[in-house]
Amino acid sequence: STRKESSAASDVYKRQQEASAANRDWLRGDATGACEWDRVGFWVQRCDVWSNAMGRTIPVQIQPAKNGGNAGLYLLDGLRATDRTNAWINDVNAARTYVDHNITLVMPVGGAASFYADWRGPATYDLVKPVNYMWETFLTTELPAYLEGNFGVARNNNSVAGLSMGATAAITLAGKHPEQFRQALSYSGYLTTTLPGAQTFMRLALLDAGGFNINAMYGSVINPKRFSNDPFNLIPELAAHGTDVFISAASAIPGPLDQQRYKPEHIASGMALEGFANATTRMWELKARAMGVRLQTNYPAQGLHNWEQFG
């Protein structure tokens, strides 16, 4: 009897492994985007997906669901996103975390200082080589079609998570596209972007990140688009659609690892950034709870605005 049970368990494990390999060991891609194996491993493919809106291919690192499940988890980067790799697979390894899960990880590459928005004009002051940002269109219209056709990801069974800038975008995108995102997770995000002084804070951050022009994103301080893209103003939509939301921001008090690994100037900037994230996240929570959002929160007693915290 014991041998039979052991053999049955072995057969189940073997079928699971075969299912995993069957769904993961071949490269995807079509006329709108070819894929290659990513050096990070863990079945991750790097796919260059064509975007009509931006007029170029956008790299996306994708780990297919283990057994062919149709759920997708979008992981959005911070302000200083690079064109080399998504930070969720570089600064920490989300692919390792999800290697045994039946969820497709979707990690777009690039979009520094974009807030994953559709910008009104060139994102930088360099008009010789203009930067065209249409990230909302890409993430909610173009990429879902590609994922559905090549990875079997349903257009209505997704979560979106982000850190810092990406956290702001995760809540915004979920509020504006509830048919796509059933869940949103914010790690140290800025969740009240029309708060007095927030525009100046963001303007300085965008300039420091590479000379990005915040007026090209949402327009002037009084532009309606700026208000319609504030996570604080999208709380009613999240409540109405029953979106599951998780928000987190640390106290801005340095922990032991922060003190060991970072210079005083980096600790100071990390404290300022996390303090602002914490304040806006708590303000967002108060309104969200009052309006009945399905909400979970986590406020660590120590932690700065860095990957010790996000990871």
Side-chain angles (χ1 to χ4, degrees), residues 77-87 90-91 110-116 133 163-166 204-212 269 273 305 307:
D77 220 326
L79 191 76
R80 299 179 187 278
T82 74
D83 292 327
R84 301 187 312 275
T85 181
N86 184 294
N90 184 66
D91 294 76
S114 69
F115 280 84
Y116 295 98
Y133 274 166
L163 67 110
S164 191
M165 173 191 83
L204 295 174
L206 265 62
L207 287 171
D208 186 62
F212 292 89
S269 63
L273 291 168
H305 204 74
W307 277 98

Tab-separated table of all heavy atoms in Angstrom, residues 77-87 90-91 110-116 133 163-166 204-212 269 273 305 307:
chain	number	residue	atom	x	y	z
A	77	ASP	N	8.225	48.926	-12.628
A	77	ASP	CA	9.514	49.371	-12.118
A	77	ASP	C	9.417	50.736	-11.439
A	77	ASP	O	8.376	51.386	-11.446
A	77	ASP	CB	10.505	49.443	-13.286
A	77	ASP	CG	11.876	48.940	-12.905
A	77	ASP	OD1	12.283	49.140	-11.744
A	77	ASP	OD2	12.555	48.359	-13.769
A	78	GLY	N	10.558	51.169	-10.884
A	78	GLY	CA	10.647	52.465	-10.240
A	78	GLY	C	11.071	53.560	-11.201
A	78	GLY	O	11.237	53.344	-12.404
A	79	LEU	N	11.282	54.747	-10.656
A	79	LEU	CA	11.551	55.943	-11.452
A	79	LEU	C	12.757	55.791	-12.369
A	79	LEU	O	12.770	56.290	-13.488
A	79	LEU	CB	11.764	57.139	-10.517
A	79	LEU	CG	11.796	58.520	-11.179
A	79	LEU	CD1	10.388	58.968	-11.545
A	79	LEU	CD2	12.432	59.552	-10.249
A	80	ARG	N	13.795	55.104	-11.893
A	80	ARG	CA	15.028	54.969	-12.670
A	80	ARG	C	15.093	53.634	-13.402
A	80	ARG	O	16.148	52.992	-13.477
A	80	ARG	CB	16.247	55.156	-11.756
A	80	ARG	CG	16.268	56.530	-11.103
A	80	ARG	CD	17.456	56.726	-10.187
A	80	ARG	NE	17.349	57.974	-9.451
A	80	ARG	CZ	17.696	59.161	-9.934
A	80	ARG	NH1	18.202	59.252	-11.158
A	80	ARG	NH2	17.554	60.256	-9.208
A	81	ALA	N	13.980	53.234	-13.957
A	81	ALA	CA	13.931	52.007	-14.747
A	81	ALA	C	14.966	52.067	-15.874
A	81	ALA	O	15.162	53.118	-16.479
A	81	ALA	CB	12.530	51.819	-15.321
A	82	THR	N	15.616	50.945	-16.122
A	82	THR	CA	16.628	50.899	-17.174
A	82	THR	C	16.082	50.208	-18.420
A	82	THR	O	15.025	49.567	-18.384
A	82	THR	CB	17.881	50.135	-16.700
A	82	THR	OG1	17.584	48.727	-16.666
A	82	THR	CG2	18.314	50.610	-15.322
A	83	ASP	N	16.835	50.321	-19.513
A	83	ASP	CA	16.465	49.636	-20.748
A	83	ASP	C	17.097	48.247	-20.829
A	83	ASP	O	16.946	47.560	-21.841
A	83	ASP	CB	16.900	50.458	-21.968
A	83	ASP	CG	16.109	51.751	-22.090
A	83	ASP	OD1	14.922	51.755	-21.708
A	83	ASP	OD2	16.683	52.759	-22.549
A	84	ARG	N	17.784	47.841	-19.766
A	84	ARG	CA	18.452	46.528	-19.746
A	84	ARG	C	17.558	45.434	-19.178
A	84	ARG	O	17.479	44.353	-19.728
A	84	ARG	CB	19.738	46.595	-18.923
A	84	ARG	CG	20.758	47.607	-19.418
A	84	ARG	CD	22.065	47.479	-18.651
A	84	ARG	NE	21.862	47.435	-17.217
A	84	ARG	CZ	21.736	48.513	-16.430
A	84	ARG	NH1	21.768	49.721	-16.973
A	84	ARG	NH2	21.569	48.387	-15.128
A	85	THR	N	16.910	45.742	-18.056
A	85	THR	CA	16.138	44.703	-17.366
A	85	THR	C	15.149	45.349	-16.414
A	85	THR	O	15.345	46.480	-15.960
A	85	THR	CB	17.076	43.770	-16.572
A	85	THR	OG1	16.294	42.752	-15.918
A	85	THR	CG2	17.869	44.526	-15.524
A	86	ASN	N	14.080	44.643	-16.126
A	86	ASN	CA	13.140	45.069	-15.105
A	86	ASN	C	13.762	44.806	-13.732
A	86	ASN	O	14.356	43.757	-13.501
A	86	ASN	CB	11.834	44.285	-15.261
A	86	ASN	CG	10.748	44.731	-14.308
A	86	ASN	OD1	10.855	44.579	-13.095
A	86	ASN	ND2	9.665	45.266	-14.864
A	87	ALA	N	13.644	45.768	-12.818
A	87	ALA	CA	14.305	45.652	-11.515
A	87	ALA	C	13.759	44.507	-10.672
A	87	ALA	O	14.470	43.970	-9.824
A	87	ALA	CB	14.178	46.955	-10.743
A	90	ASN	N	16.056	41.843	-11.302
A	90	ASN	CA	17.467	42.181	-11.196
A	90	ASN	C	17.859	42.517	-9.751
A	90	ASN	O	18.768	41.912	-9.189
A	90	ASN	CB	17.784	43.370	-12.120
A	90	ASN	CG	19.253	43.719	-12.131
A	90	ASN	OD1	20.089	42.939	-12.584
A	90	ASN	ND2	19.596	44.897	-11.623
A	91	ASP	N	17.155	43.466	-9.145
A	91	ASP	CA	17.452	43.852	-7.760
A	91	ASP	C	16.926	42.821	-6.762
A	91	ASP	O	17.476	42.659	-5.668
A	91	ASP	CB	16.852	45.218	-7.473
A	91	ASP	CG	17.517	46.296	-8.304
A	91	ASP	OD1	17.224	46.383	-9.511
A	91	ASP	OD2	18.336	47.046	-7.770
A	110	GLY	N	12.088	49.260	-19.234
A	110	GLY	CA	12.161	50.651	-19.679
A	110	GLY	C	11.087	51.505	-19.041
A	110	GLY	O	10.432	51.112	-18.074
A	111	GLY	N	10.929	52.706	-19.584
A	111	GLY	CA	9.902	53.614	-19.072
A	111	GLY	C	10.362	54.472	-17.915
A	111	GLY	O	9.552	54.861	-17.067
A	112	ALA	N	11.647	54.801	-17.864
A	112	ALA	CA	12.154	55.646	-16.777
A	112	ALA	C	11.329	56.928	-16.653
A	112	ALA	O	11.052	57.599	-17.654
A	112	ALA	CB	13.621	55.995	-17.031
A	113	ALA	N	10.920	57.237	-15.440
A	113	ALA	CA	10.190	58.476	-15.116
A	113	ALA	C	8.859	58.606	-15.844
A	113	ALA	O	8.279	59.685	-15.878
A	113	ALA	CB	11.064	59.699	-15.403
A	114	SER	N	8.353	57.533	-16.418
A	114	SER	CA	7.147	57.607	-17.246
A	114	SER	C	5.853	57.572	-16.450
A	114	SER	O	4.813	58.009	-16.942
A	114	SER	CB	7.125	56.438	-18.233
A	114	SER	OG	6.930	55.209	-17.547
A	115	PHE	N	5.884	57.019	-15.240
A	115	PHE	CA	4.686	56.702	-14.479
A	115	PHE	C	3.730	55.840	-15.301
A	115	PHE	O	2.537	55.786	-15.028
A	115	PHE	CB	3.996	57.973	-13.961
A	115	PHE	CG	4.658	58.525	-12.717
A	115	PHE	CD1	5.777	59.349	-12.825
A	115	PHE	CD2	4.199	58.202	-11.455
A	115	PHE	CE1	6.416	59.841	-11.688
A	115	PHE	CE2	4.834	58.693	-10.311
A	115	PHE	CZ	5.946	59.507	-10.422
A	116	TYR	N	4.278	55.168	-16.307
A	116	TYR	CA	3.532	54.234	-17.162
A	116	TYR	C	2.256	54.885	-17.704
A	116	TYR	O	1.202	54.251	-17.788
A	116	TYR	CB	3.233	52.943	-16.415
A	116	TYR	CG	4.499	52.192	-16.069
A	116	TYR	CD1	5.084	52.294	-14.811
A	116	TYR	CD2	5.136	51.399	-17.025
A	116	TYR	CE1	6.264	51.620	-14.503
A	116	TYR	CE2	6.317	50.715	-16.727
A	116	TYR	CZ	6.869	50.834	-15.472
A	116	TYR	OH	8.039	50.170	-15.176
A	133	TYR	N	6.299	58.493	-25.040
A	133	TYR	CA	5.780	57.615	-23.994
A	133	TYR	C	4.269	57.426	-24.157
A	133	TYR	O	3.491	58.368	-24.002
A	133	TYR	CB	6.060	58.215	-22.615
A	133	TYR	CG	7.419	57.897	-22.030
A	133	TYR	CD1	7.894	58.618	-20.939
A	133	TYR	CD2	8.217	56.871	-22.529
A	133	TYR	CE1	9.129	58.330	-20.369
A	133	TYR	CE2	9.450	56.580	-21.973
A	133	TYR	CZ	9.907	57.306	-20.891
A	133	TYR	OH	11.130	57.014	-20.332
A	163	LEU	N	6.604	49.294	-7.480
A	163	LEU	CA	7.316	49.966	-6.401
A	163	LEU	C	7.501	51.432	-6.768
A	163	LEU	O	7.719	51.763	-7.929
A	163	LEU	CB	8.690	49.321	-6.183
A	163	LEU	CG	9.684	49.509	-7.327
A	163	LEU	CD1	10.814	50.445	-6.912
A	163	LEU	CD2	10.221	48.203	-7.819
A	164	SER	N	7.354	52.311	-5.793
A	164	SER	CA	7.597	53.732	-5.987
A	164	SER	C	6.773	54.263	-7.165
A	164	SER	O	5.555	54.210	-7.137
A	164	SER	CB	9.107	53.971	-6.179
A	164	SER	OG	9.428	55.340	-6.120
A	165	MET	N	7.407	54.738	-8.240
A	165	MET	CA	6.677	55.201	-9.406
A	165	MET	C	5.729	54.126	-9.930
A	165	MET	O	4.575	54.397	-10.286
A	165	MET	CB	7.664	55.590	-10.516
A	165	MET	CG	7.018	55.927	-11.845
A	165	MET	SD	8.210	56.073	-13.215
A	165	MET	CE	8.408	54.325	-13.685
A	166	GLY	N	6.204	52.898	-9.994
A	166	GLY	CA	5.387	51.796	-10.484
A	166	GLY	C	4.208	51.493	-9.583
A	166	GLY	O	3.160	51.018	-10.047
A	204	LEU	N	10.892	67.837	-9.734
A	204	LEU	CA	12.305	67.727	-9.382
A	204	LEU	C	12.807	66.303	-9.559
A	204	LEU	O	13.925	66.074	-10.030
A	204	LEU	CB	12.515	68.198	-7.945
A	204	LEU	CG	12.240	69.682	-7.675
A	204	LEU	CD1	12.332	69.987	-6.186
A	204	LEU	CD2	13.190	70.570	-8.471
A	205	ALA	N	11.974	65.327	-9.190
A	205	ALA	CA	12.367	63.925	-9.331
A	205	ALA	C	12.545	63.554	-10.795
A	205	ALA	O	13.515	62.870	-11.162
A	205	ALA	CB	11.327	63.026	-8.675
A	206	LEU	N	11.652	64.011	-11.654
A	206	LEU	CA	11.740	63.692	-13.082
A	206	LEU	C	12.942	64.360	-13.735
A	206	LEU	O	13.591	63.768	-14.612
A	206	LEU	CB	10.449	64.092	-13.794
A	206	LEU	CG	9.411	62.967	-13.945
A	206	LEU	CD1	8.936	62.465	-12.589
A	206	LEU	CD2	8.220	63.435	-14.793
A	207	LEU	N	13.236	65.579	-13.334
A	207	LEU	CA	14.419	66.245	-13.865
A	207	LEU	C	15.685	65.507	-13.441
A	207	LEU	O	16.607	65.297	-14.247
A	207	LEU	CB	14.459	67.697	-13.377
A	207	LEU	CG	13.458	68.661	-14.022
A	207	LEU	CD1	13.456	69.988	-13.284
A	207	LEU	CD2	13.774	68.865	-15.508
A	208	ASP	N	15.720	65.080	-12.177
A	208	ASP	CA	16.895	64.383	-11.658
A	208	ASP	C	17.071	63.014	-12.302
A	208	ASP	O	18.195	62.536	-12.445
A	208	ASP	CB	16.765	64.236	-10.142
A	208	ASP	CG	18.009	63.644	-9.518
A	208	ASP	OD1	19.088	64.269	-9.621
A	208	ASP	OD2	17.922	62.550	-8.928
A	209	ALA	N	15.968	62.398	-12.723
A	209	ALA	CA	16.039	61.058	-13.305
A	209	ALA	C	16.527	61.050	-14.747
A	209	ALA	O	16.751	59.985	-15.318
A	209	ALA	CB	14.676	60.382	-13.217
A	210	GLY	N	16.674	62.234	-15.366
A	210	GLY	CA	17.161	62.262	-16.739
A	210	GLY	C	16.597	63.388	-17.571
A	210	GLY	O	16.502	63.270	-18.805
A	211	GLY	N	16.213	64.470	-16.925
A	211	GLY	CA	15.737	65.624	-17.667
A	211	GLY	C	14.356	65.459	-18.258
A	211	GLY	O	14.065	65.973	-19.351
A	212	PHE	N	13.457	64.767	-17.544
A	212	PHE	CA	12.100	64.568	-18.039
A	212	PHE	C	11.218	65.757	-17.666
A	212	PHE	O	11.336	66.328	-16.585
A	212	PHE	CB	11.516	63.265	-17.476
A	212	PHE	CG	12.194	62.030	-18.013
A	212	PHE	CD1	13.299	61.500	-17.368
A	212	PHE	CD2	11.749	61.423	-19.168
A	212	PHE	CE1	13.942	60.373	-17.853
A	212	PHE	CE2	12.374	60.293	-19.672
A	212	PHE	CZ	13.476	59.768	-19.017
A	269	SER	N	18.241	60.583	1.717
A	269	SER	CA	17.303	60.624	0.585
A	269	SER	C	16.271	59.509	0.703
A	269	SER	O	15.091	59.703	0.382
A	269	SER	CB	18.057	60.522	-0.738
A	269	SER	OG	18.734	59.282	-0.847
A	273	LEU	N	12.154	60.122	0.762
A	273	LEU	CA	11.275	59.496	-0.230
A	273	LEU	C	10.265	58.560	0.423
A	273	LEU	O	9.078	58.555	0.070
A	273	LEU	CB	12.112	58.737	-1.257
A	273	LEU	CG	12.961	59.600	-2.189
A	273	LEU	CD1	13.959	58.739	-2.956
A	273	LEU	CD2	12.067	60.366	-3.166
A	305	HIS	N	13.415	53.957	1.420
A	305	HIS	CA	12.966	53.825	0.040
A	305	HIS	C	14.069	53.150	-0.774
A	305	HIS	O	14.801	53.805	-1.535
A	305	HIS	CB	12.649	55.210	-0.521
A	305	HIS	CG	11.679	55.205	-1.660
A	305	HIS	ND1	10.331	54.990	-1.495
A	305	HIS	CD2	11.862	55.392	-2.995
A	305	HIS	CE1	9.728	55.068	-2.663
A	305	HIS	NE2	10.625	55.297	-3.601
A	307	TRP	N	15.717	48.850	-2.046
A	307	TRP	CA	15.365	47.461	-2.319
A	307	TRP	C	15.431	46.562	-1.093
A	307	TRP	O	14.905	45.446	-1.123
A	307	TRP	CB	16.218	46.908	-3.453
A	307	TRP	CG	15.630	47.289	-4.774
A	307	TRP	CD1	15.989	48.316	-5.588
A	307	TRP	CD2	14.508	46.669	-5.400
A	307	TRP	NE1	15.169	48.378	-6.681
A	307	TRP	CE2	14.243	47.376	-6.593
A	307	TRP	CE3	13.684	45.602	-5.073
A	307	TRP	CZ2	13.220	47.049	-7.466
A	307	TRP	CZ3	12.654	45.260	-5.932
A	307	TRP	CH2	12.432	45.975	-7.112
